[in-house]
Amino acid sequence: MFGSPPEGEIWSGDDAAVVAAPAGRMLFTIDTLIEEIDFDLAYAKPEDVGWKAVAVNVSDIAAMGGRPAHAVTALWLPSSTSLVAAEGISRGVAECCKAFSVSNVGGDVSTASQIGIAVAMTGGAHVEPVRRSGARPGDLLGVTGQLGGAAAGLAALQAGRGADFPDAVRRQLRPQPRADEGGALAGAGVTAMVDISDGLASDLGHLTEASGTGCDVDVHALPVDPSVGAVAEVVGRAVLDMAVIGGEDFELLFAVPPDRLDAVQDALSGTQTPVSIIGRFTDAETGIAGRSLKEWKERGWEHLRAR
Amino acid sequence: MFGSPPEGEIWSGDDAAVVAAPAGRMLFTIDTLIEEIDFDLAYAKPEDVGWKAVAVNVSDIAAMGGRPAHAVTALWLPSSTSLVAAEGISRGVAECCKAFSVSNVGGDVSTASQIGIAVAMTGGAHVEPVRRSGARPGDLLGVTGQLGGAAAGLAALQAGRGADFPDAVRRQLRPQPRADEGGALAGAGVTAMVDISDGLASDLGHLTEASGTGCDVDVHALPVDPSVGAVAEVVGRAVLDMAVIGGEDFELLFAVPPDRLDAVQDALSGTQTPVSIIGRFTDAETGIAGRSLKEWKERGWEHLRAR
């Protein structure tokens, strides 16, 4: 399912995998999905769970400007879990690894009271890694793609209306991390970057706190996912809530000095991925539509609280 | 708690850590401990859990002949878990990382119905990695240290007699992986190696299956941990059960051609770690005291079954 190792490498089946190390500096991250907290098999297929567990790590590597290389996977399952479900999760891991040229080189399966999966991933840092802390007042705030689609997909699924909103559902269940865009943005000279996993309000807070800046966001400039309006109407929620505090879009949020904006747009022109400039870093407070990030976040997606 | 990164590295606090990659080939592994399956906070302190989660990975890296380098840690906890317990687990991770010169460079904390921890670890492969598959008929079967102590410790704790057997309890709760011995054995020319995590019977099976050999084990040569006899008497179990099917000793089990035995003993002389020769690889079946590994294992420690 996970392919064969190249000459000189050893993948699963021994005490540890042996792989070619990335040259120079290496990126290294881990992320976990837990049943009932991060996914619900009432609406996610096992394959979706496996896909997403890999995708969130690809997104973290991309947000540093890197390219993913190798993954190891820990899966834990109640003993009542069907073999079909267990294999489905692994198949989703394999699909996402293939889609983003990651080699899954090892794993571990345990028994637990609840399904969960942790994926650890290494990546190569071909350009200088981009931290969260490099934004300066005057830099522009940019974002790839569209916002709110993943939250809309979740809301549609939870309302039993997933079949009516396939694009939004796909954004929720099969996120497409910006693997190529991260390196392109890093090469074009962005000064800070984060992926949007917790939601715009939370992740912008990560950038401004690490950078010691504020930021003014122009709410009218937000690239709202085209699915969001219709879903919001059906489920009775505000469009802006989905775009600002809905998480899991896995778009890249970055700071770019105005004189490098052309370079950013050139760098992304090959990817067909739109970039929107949605604000400007300042030395004052951070606000979105006149409300502080704290106000947004208190209403927002909480990683540590069950859905 | 986890120290500070050297110049040019970035540890926790960004989307991914940035570290110096090992030169050339790299080892990569992941292992998970789950509450009620792999530990019980009725007798393990949170610090013990964190220690062991790191130690089992150090042992896997050592069993390839490598040296551990960097770790990332995923921890999941019920929201009812006390901050003291959560911090204790992290402190145990930090203690074990410090003891074995591993840098814990990142982590992830989630909510779950049950406590669990997954640690992924990279390592350097300074000598040719030692696989499980290289044993040949005529090679001797060697093992470091003593067997059965960790199982005795667990049995004593479960019987409420832990305080009477501190050495055995320490082997169960604070395993000491053979970090230095792995590389020394690899350098001395062992032909196959595995760490004893599931128990001698299971892990010998991993060596013989991967190598396509059999093995005769001399049960009188087994280096039984000095704690085992007294604990076995107290809990009413057989000494040999603890030494043969008791897991978690994290000793190294290896194959060595007879003409390299001197080199092995020289290589380990600096570590004060005893080596015992407990059998010989054959082209026939594998047996311990006239019973097949299957017979042993069916009575044995089962990783996928709760204690």
Side-chain angles (χ1 to χ4, degrees), chain B:
Chain B
M1 197 186 285
F2 296 110
S4 304
E7 181 76 25
E9 295 198 355
I10 302 168
W11 291 2
S12 298
D14 218 303
D15 292 280
V18 182
V19 300
R25 284 188 291 176
M26 179 176 88
L27 302 168
F28 194 15
T29 190
I30 190 165
D31 221 328
T32 311
L33 301 184
I34 306 271
E35 189 179 11
E36 288 167 32
I37 307 293
D38 299 300
F39 62 88
D40 186 337
L41 289 175
Y43 53 74
K45 292 200 300 287
E47 286 79 358
D48 299 329
V49 174
W51 173 283
K52 196 166 184 172
V54 172
V56 298
N57 282 283
V58 171
S59 186
D60 280 330
I61 298 284
M64 300 299 287
R67 182 151 288 284
H70 298 102
V72 290
T73 305
L75 177 63
W76 51 100
L77 308 154
S79 49
S80 60
T81 307
S82 73
L83 189 61
V84 169
E87 287 181 346
I89 295 174
S90 294
R91 194 158 42 242
V93 167
E95 283 171 19
C96 194
C97 283
K98 189 169 179 202
F100 294 98
S101 303
V102 183
S103 300
N104 187 68
V105 300
D108 174 61
V109 180
S110 308
T111 306
S113 61
Q114 185 183 33
I115 299 178
I117 179 170
V119 175
M121 195 173 285
T122 62
H126 304 292
V127 294
E128 183 66 22
V130 181
R131 305 197 59 165
R132 297 175 173 180
S133 53
R136 295 292 167 260
D139 286 355
L140 303 173
L141 176 66
V143 67
T144 60
Q146 277 99 24
L147 299 177
L154 179 62
L157 287 165
Q158 289 175 331
R161 296 289 300 272
D164 299 331
F165 302 102
D167 292 346
V169 166
R170 200 173 306 116
R171 289 218 57 161
Q172 167 60 218
L173 299 181
R174 292 279 174 149
Q176 300 289 329
R178 297 300 192 179
D180 294 329
E181 292 80 352
L185 289 166
V190 302
T191 53
M193 187 153 56
V194 68
D195 70 323
I196 301 187
S197 52
D198 295 344
L200 174 64
S202 288
D203 291 311
L204 176 58
H206 294 147
L207 283 187
T208 53
E209 279 160 36
S211 297
T213 65
C215 190
D216 274 333
V217 175
D218 175 5
V219 77
H220 304 293
L222 293 184
V224 178
D225 187 280
S227 309
V228 171
V231 176
E233 196 165 311
V234 164
V235 302
R237 278 180 55 192
V239 166
L240 262 194
D241 264 6
M242 290 185 181
V244 175
I245 62 178
E248 307 189 287
D249 285 317
F250 300 106
E251 298 292 354
L252 296 173
L253 186 69
F254 57 89
V256 58
D259 62 4
R260 293 194 204 149
L261 186 55
D262 284 350
V264 158
Q265 272 154 344
D266 285 352
L268 287 196
S269 61
T271 66
Q272 313 290 323
T273 302
V275 162
S276 304
I277 298 303
I278 61 172
R280 184 181 287 265
F281 289 86
T282 69
D283 51 14
E285 295 302 298
T286 301
I288 303 178
R291 290 166 58 192
S292 70
L293 294 185
K294 182 163 176 290
E295 284 174 280
W296 279 104
K297 286 189 285 184
E298 280 171 1
R299 299 177 46 190
W301 188 86
E302 268 277 11
H303 193 71
L304 287 169
R305 197 176 300 165
R307 287 172 184 158

Side-chain angles (χ1 to χ4, degrees), chain A residues 132-133 201-202 204-214 286 293 297:
Chain A
R132 297 175 172 180
S133 54
S202 287
L204 175 58
H206 294 148
L207 283 187
T208 54
E209 279 160 36
S211 297
T213 65
T286 301
L293 294 185
K297 285 189 285 183

